[in-house]
């Protein structure tokens, strides 16, 4: 790996990985669950950050890979995960990978009706285990946490329409298939303890309604991670245990799939100022070689954990609009008011940007940037930026 000794010499734009922070987060949630449950599983959400270096590290720290497509399933295997340490969710499974995962002992949570049909193709000489996803309508389960009057979901089988009952009936009718677990992943914007308490309580009621004999409950993700004024990993774990104990189900293995809570805080993004224009008497536009696409691909954030790194002292100006490098007018990140003027060569360091950024950043006008890992004596390049050569590598021209 290419090594760089000084922070100032990092080639921008780039992401910077702090492996100690990722390990701290994984261990933090593992310890919180281990304090209460005999068995638990941390699923590293591949869709949230699919950097191979991170996947490899998560596996070494005994996390499972939580994947939601056939491509992610193959990626997890290439990064060293045995099938027994893969959680396979989502509708984008292929028949080949679905059957391979079930037959190889992966945790497979059925999401679609075609997956139910594929069960008939399993060999008859062995018993196979599967899970199933339960549909969660937040407006019905926890109205205080709902986004609107009908915060329904397109995922899972609904117990309101009997599709869950029909799916259960099909599975139990098969002599070579056992229903092993229930998947209830749903994220509320509040990420509150109250929401998890109510959603798990609903799941427990469904388990009792159908007399299900399960070995695990997969409560999914959507947790806070680093913020001091938000619920901690231990508080989430305490909530899970409290509800399950009330229903006599505390023996279940609890599976969590934290994405944001594990990878957001372990990545920073560094960009450099490439231009400064005065467009009005008291307004400057600052252009950087990064983009809002890099750190806010949903275009929802109103602020960032950022720091401006000046090379020299400059005069204070009334207003600066910090913008990205694309040709899109709306590629604007944030506004500085009554601050020293940023100049070409100054840098901006953004923190807490590891979740859904690298996976969702489009290759629009500028291809994927470098990723460095921070080490004791400098930085190592763990993903080299793409050039036009990488972009066309499987194309015909």
């Amino acid at each position: 790996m290419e090594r760089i000794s000084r922070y100032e010499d990092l080639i921008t734009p780039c992401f910077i990985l702090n492996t100690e922070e990722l390990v701290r987060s994984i261990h933090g949630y593992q310890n919180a669950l281990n304090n209460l449950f005999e068995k638990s599983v941390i699923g590293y959400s591949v869709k949230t950050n699919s950097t191979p270096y991170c996947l490899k590290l998560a596996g070494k720290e005994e996390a499972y890979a939580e994947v939601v497509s056939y491509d992610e399933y193959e990626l997890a295997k290439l990064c060293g995960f045995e099938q027994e340490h893969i959680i396979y969710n989502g509708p984008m499974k292929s028949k080949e990978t679905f059957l391979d995962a079930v037959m190889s002992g992966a945790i497979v949570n059925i999401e679609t009706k075609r997956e139910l049909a594929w069960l008939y193709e399993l060999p008859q000489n062995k018993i196979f285990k599967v899970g199933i996803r339960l549909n969660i309508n937040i407006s019905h389960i926890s109205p205080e946490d709902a986004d609107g009057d009908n915060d329904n979901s397109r995922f899972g089988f609904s117990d309101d329409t009997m599709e869950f009952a029909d799916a259960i009936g099909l599975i139990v009718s098969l002599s070579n298939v056992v229903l092993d677990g229930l998947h209830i992943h749903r994220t509320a914007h509040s990420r509150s303890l109250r929401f998890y308490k109510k959603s798990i309580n609903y799941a427990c009621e469904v388990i009792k309604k159908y007399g299900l004999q399960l070995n695990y409950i997969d409560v999914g993700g959507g947790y806070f991670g680093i913020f001091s004024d938000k619920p901690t990993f231990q508080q989430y774990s305490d909530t899970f245990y409290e509800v399950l104990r009330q229903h006599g189900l505390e023996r279940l293995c609890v599976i969590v799939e934290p994405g944001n809570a594990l990878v957001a805080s372990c990545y920073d993004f560094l960009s450099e100022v490439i231009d400064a224009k005065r467009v009005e008497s008291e307004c400057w536009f600052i252009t950087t070689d990064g983009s809002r696409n890099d750190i806010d691909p949903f275009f929802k954030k109103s602020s960032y954990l950022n720091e401006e790194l000046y090379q020299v002292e400059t005069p204070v100006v009334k207003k600066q609009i910090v913008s990205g490098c694309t040709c899109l007018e709306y590629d604007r990140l944030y506004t500085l008011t009554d601050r020293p003027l940023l100049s070409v060569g100054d840098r901006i360091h953004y923190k807490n940007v590891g979740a859904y950024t690298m996976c969702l950043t489009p290759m629009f006008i500028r291809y994927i940037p470098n990723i460095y890992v921070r080490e004791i004596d400098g930085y190592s390049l763990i993903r080299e930026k793409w050039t036009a050569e990488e972009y066309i590598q499987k194309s015909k021209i």
Side-chain angles (χ1 to χ4, degrees):
M1 294 188 294
E2 179 184 338
R3 296 184 62 81
I4 293 178
S5 59
R6 300 195 318 149
Y7 173 80
E8 293 79 8
D9 294 331
L10 294 176
I11 299 172
T12 62
C14 64
F15 287 96
I16 306 168
L17 169 64
N18 181 344
T19 56
E20 291 181 359
E21 181 65 21
L22 176 58
V23 171
R24 182 200 66 80
S25 296
I26 293 173
H27 288 179
Y29 219 149
Q30 284 174 333
N31 293 336
L33 293 168
N34 290 341
N35 286 338
L36 296 168
F37 296 99
E38 293 183 10
K39 187 175 181 182
S40 60
V41 171
I42 303 285
Y44 177 95
S45 174
V46 175
K47 66 180 177 292
T48 309
N49 190 303
S50 59
T51 307
Y53 193 93
C54 289
L55 268 67
K56 192 81 172 181
L57 178 58
K60 289 180 180 178
E61 299 302 323
E62 300 185 350
Y64 287 32
E66 189 261 326
V67 302
V68 293
S69 72
Y70 48 79
D71 285 331
E72 287 190 348
Y73 179 75
E74 297 297 344
L75 175 63
K77 291 197 296 181
L78 285 173
C79 289
F81 286 91
E82 300 292 336
Q83 282 97 322
E84 295 91 342
H85 287 174
I86 294 177
I87 306 164
Y88 202 177
N89 294 326
M92 199 56 183
K93 304 179 184 81
S94 66
K95 182 194 290 188
E96 180 183 14
T97 56
F98 173 83
L99 293 174
D100 179 68
V102 173
M103 290 189 290
S104 301
I107 298 171
V108 180
N109 292 312
I110 291 176
E111 174 66 53
T112 63
K113 293 179 181 178
R114 68 177 185 170
E115 294 164 47
L116 292 171
W118 293 340
L119 294 175
Y120 289 104
E121 301 190 28
L122 291 168
Q124 293 293 320
N125 61 349
K126 185 179 177 181
I127 302 298
F128 300 99
K129 298 177 180 180
V130 297
I132 192 168
R133 187 167 182 175
L134 177 66
N135 182 269
I136 300 289
N137 186 320
I138 299 179
S139 297
H140 297 168
I141 307 298
S142 187
E144 306 94 327
D145 298 290
D147 183 13
D149 295 333
N150 187 19
D151 195 356
N152 60 14
S153 173
R154 66 186 185 91
F155 300 108
F157 293 86
S158 173
D159 192 42
D160 293 334
T161 63
M162 296 300 294
E163 289 207 339
F164 182 80
D166 291 342
I168 295 297
L170 185 151
I171 293 171
V172 301
S173 71
L174 300 174
S175 60
N176 61 335
V177 179
V178 172
L179 183 63
D180 200 44
L182 191 65
H183 184 209
I184 61 168
H185 173 69
R186 186 74 205 277
T187 300
H189 291 305
S190 66
R191 305 184 188 183
S192 69
L193 298 173
R194 174 188 58 222
F195 167 70
Y196 289 99
K197 182 176 182 178
K198 291 187 175 183
S199 60
I200 293 174
N201 183 70
Y202 173 65
C204 290
E205 291 173 350
V206 171
I207 290 171
K208 288 190 173 183
K209 176 181 177 180
Y210 292 99
L212 303 179
Q213 300 298 313
L214 306 178
N215 285 312
Y216 72 82
I217 181 169
D218 185 336
V219 295
Y223 316 106
F224 284 111
I226 65 171
F227 302 103
S228 59
D229 59 341
K230 302 297 182 182
T232 64
F233 292 152
Q234 190 61 61
Q235 288 174 317
Y236 286 120
S237 183
D238 291 344
T239 299
F240 304 159
Y241 184 80
E242 174 191 347
V243 181
L244 291 170
R245 183 178 57 81
Q246 290 173 355
H247 289 272
L249 295 172
E250 68 274 17
R251 66 167 185 81
L252 292 178
C253 172
V254 170
I255 299 173
V256 295
E257 301 162 354
N260 221 346
L262 292 188
V263 298
S265 61
C266 68
Y267 268 102
D268 296 348
F269 183 73
L270 184 66
S271 65
E272 186 168 299
V273 175
I274 60 175
D275 191 39
K277 287 191 179 76
R278 189 178 185 181
V279 296
E280 295 172 357
S281 60
E282 296 185 332
C283 179
W284 291 75
F285 271 98
I286 307 300
T287 302
T288 65
D289 58 6
S291 167
R292 189 166 179 176
N293 287 330
D294 292 305
I295 60 173
D296 184 20
F298 294 118
F299 276 64
K300 289 184 177 180
K301 292 183 180 180
S302 57
S303 63
Y304 306 89
L305 298 174
N306 58 276
E307 179 184 6
E308 294 78 34
L309 308 171
Y310 294 88
Q311 296 182 97
V312 296
E313 185 176 346
T314 54
V316 172
V317 297
K318 185 70 174 177
K319 182 179 181 181
Q320 301 175 73
I321 300 175
V322 177
S323 307
C325 62
T326 70
C327 55
L328 301 174
E329 190 67 65
Y330 56 80
D331 187 7
R332 309 180 184 196
L333 290 100
Y334 65 99
T335 299
L336 288 171
T337 304
D338 296 325
R339 294 286 302 278
L341 178 64
L342 285 162
S343 304
V344 173
D346 290 343
R347 292 185 165 191
I348 302 175
H349 188 121
Y350 300 88
K351 298 181 179 181
N352 199 40
V353 296
Y356 294 102
T357 48
M358 285 162 272
C359 289
L360 286 174
T361 299
M363 291 190 290
F364 176 67
I365 81 165
R366 191 213 70 214
Y367 308 136
I368 60 177
N370 286 334
I371 301 178
Y372 298 95
V373 61
R374 192 177 74 187
E375 298 176 335
I376 295 175
D377 56 349
Y379 301 84
S380 291
L381 185 65
I382 59 172
R383 186 187 74 183
E384 189 175 356
K385 66 179 181 179
W386 275 27
T387 67
E389 290 185 5
E390 284 76 33
Y391 186 82
I392 67 171
Q393 61 187 324
K394 283 198 170 185
S395 300
K396 292 182 179 180
I397 56 174

